[in-house]
Amino acid sequence: AACGGGSTDTGSSDDGGDLIRVGFSQLGAESGWRTANTESVKASLSEENGFDLTFVDAQQKQENQIKALRDFIAQDVDVIAFSPVIETGWDEVLQEIKDSGIPVVLVDRTVDTTVEDPFVTWIGADFKQEGTTAGEWVAENAPDAKIFELQGTLGSGAQVDREEGFGEVVGDQIIGKASGNFTRAEGKTAVEAALQAYPEMTMIFTHNDDMGLGAIEAIEAAGKVPGEDIQIVSIDGVRDGLQALVDKKFNYVVECNPVFGDQLAELITQVADGADVPKETIVIDAAFDQTITQADVDARLY
Ligand code: GZL
C-alpha cells in the first residue's frame, strides 16, 4: 500500500503514480477551530504538493468516521489520517486498518484503544496544558470565582484533558459542569440552563470559543454583562473568540492552534516513504488577555 516519492513499479508520473494517496476522516465542522483546521489540511495536502486527498466530514458522528476509515481501506490508500470525535470505540476498525498494512497518522484528537501500536504518529495540541494554563490564570486573577465549566464533546480527548488540567488547579472553585458539544448553539442552551441552576455563578470556563460565544448570548439574554457579572475563560483563540476578548466579553483565551497542515503534510510524506517519524508533534499554543488590541485580532490568520 505504501508508495511515496521516488520511482515505483507502477510506472511513470503521468498516471499520478507519484501522488501520495491520503484518506482523511475529519470529525465535523462544529466550530471555527475545525473550519480553520480543515482549510489548513486541504491547502497543505493539495495535488500540487504531491497528494491525492480523499477528505470526508463525519458531522461529529463516530459511525460516519468508521465508515470513512473502512472506505479508505477498500481504496487501499497509502496513508490514513483522522481526528477521532471521541477517544473510545475504535478498536475494531483500528485493528482492520492495522491488518491492511496502511499506516495511520492521528490528527488533533486522541484515541484510547486496546489495539497494539495503532498509529505511527500523532500531531496536535497539549490539551491538558491548555486546561492548566486557563486554571492558572483563574487562580491568579479570580481566586474567589464560582465557576461553571462548559465542556466540549463528552469523551473527546480535548474535553477529558482540558477538564483534568483545569480541575487540578482550581477544581474546588467549580460549582457545576455541562457539555455544549463544542458548538455555539449547544453552548448557549447549556448556559441558559446553568444560569437558572447556579445563580451564584461568577465565571464560565468554556472548552472552546464557539460555546463561549453562545454563553455570551445566554448571559446577555438574562440581563447580565459577560466579562463582568460573569467572566469567561476560553480555549481556541479563533478570530471571533479574540474579538470577544477585545470587546471585553471574554476575559482570557488560551490558544489551540489549528493551522498545522504543513507539518501534517511533512509527517505524511515521511510516513509514506517509511521514514522514521517522532511519536508525537505538539503544536505550540499562546494565550491572550484583555490587553490584546484590535490590530492583533485583525492580523490573525484565522
Ligand atoms: C482542539 C479541537 C477542539 C477545539 C474545538 O484541538 O479538537 O475541537 O478546541 C473543536 O473548537 O471542536
Side-chain angles (χ1 to χ4, degrees):
C3 82
S7 65
T8 65
D9 56 9
T10 53
S12 69
S13 59
D14 61 4
D15 65 2
D18 289 341
L19 294 180
I20 299 174
R21 298 171 55 240
V22 181
F24 191 108
S25 167
Q26 180 62 294
L27 67 91
E30 74 287 353
S31 65
W33 190 97
R34 190 65 51 193
T35 305
N37 180 248
T38 289
E39 283 168 9
S40 176
V41 166
K42 286 182 173 177
S44 299
L45 296 180
S46 63
E47 187 166 347
E48 59 264 29
N49 287 348
F51 299 93
D52 173 6
L53 173 66
T54 302
F55 186 96
V56 180
D57 174 337
Q59 290 92 40
Q60 284 189 291
K61 292 184 175 60
Q62 179 170 42
E63 62 268 23
N64 291 349
Q65 288 202 275
I66 291 172
K67 181 185 178 316
L69 294 172
R70 287 186 166 134
D71 289 348
F72 298 152
I73 295 172
Q75 293 159 24
D76 193 25
V77 298
D78 300 315
V79 179
I80 287 174
F82 81 115
S83 180
V85 59
I86 56 174
E87 288 194 304
T88 56
W90 307 97
D91 292 353
E92 199 178 329
V93 72
L94 284 174
Q95 190 57 54
E96 290 167 21
I97 297 173
K98 193 171 175 70
D99 294 344
S100 76
I102 299 173
V104 174
V105 173
L106 202 59
V107 178
D108 173 34
R109 300 271 181 91
T110 47
V111 289
D112 179 6
T113 178
T114 57
V115 173
E116 273 293 297
D117 223 9
F119 54 87
V120 177
T121 186
W122 168 80
I123 178 169
D126 183 342
F127 301 134
K128 183 174 178 183
Q129 182 55 53
E130 293 165 345
T132 303
T133 302
E136 287 167 349
W137 184 89
V138 171
E140 178 69 29
N141 297 279
D144 301 322
K146 292 180 174 48
I147 307 169
F148 173 73
E149 184 171 336
L150 183 53
Q151 302 195 317
T153 305
L154 291 178
S156 68
Q159 177 268 312
V160 171
D161 294 351
R162 287 169 181 169
E163 177 181 26
E164 185 183 353
F166 188 79
E168 282 178 357
V169 184
V170 289
D172 56 348
Q173 293 182 231
I174 297 172
I175 58 173
K177 299 177 179 181
S179 178
N181 200 26
F182 283 129
T183 71
R184 183 168 184 156
E186 292 164 277
K188 178 180 179 183
T189 303
V191 170
E192 283 165 349
L195 287 166
Q196 300 299 318
Y198 309 103
E200 73 280 19
M201 177 200 311
T202 65
M203 175 180 284
I204 291 172
F205 165 52
T206 174
H207 287 189
N208 84 334
D209 292 342
D210 293 73
M211 296 189 293
L213 295 166
I216 286 173
E217 293 176 43
I219 292 165
E220 290 176 335
K224 296 193 173 191
V225 180
E228 288 179 31
D229 299 330
I230 297 184
Q231 295 185 304
I232 300 177
V233 174
S234 183
I235 297 176
D236 270 356
V238 294
R239 181 184 309 282
D240 291 347
L242 295 181
Q243 189 61 53
L245 195 54
V246 167
D247 299 342
K248 306 279 189 272
K249 295 182 178 182
F250 278 7
N251 297 83
Y252 188 65
V253 176
V254 178
E255 183 187 47
C256 176
N257 192 326
V259 182
F260 51 74
D262 287 347
Q263 287 169 281
L264 175 63
E266 181 53 35
L267 280 170
I268 288 174
T269 301
Q270 291 170 334
V271 167
D273 289 349
D276 286 340
V277 291
K279 196 62 190 166
E280 64 176 32
T281 304
I282 302 286
V283 179
I284 303 304
D285 291 332
F288 306 92
D289 62 20
Q290 289 185 349
T291 60
I292 191 170
T293 66
Q294 188 63 53
D296 295 330
V297 175
D298 295 345
R300 294 275 295 172
L301 276 176
Y302 61 93

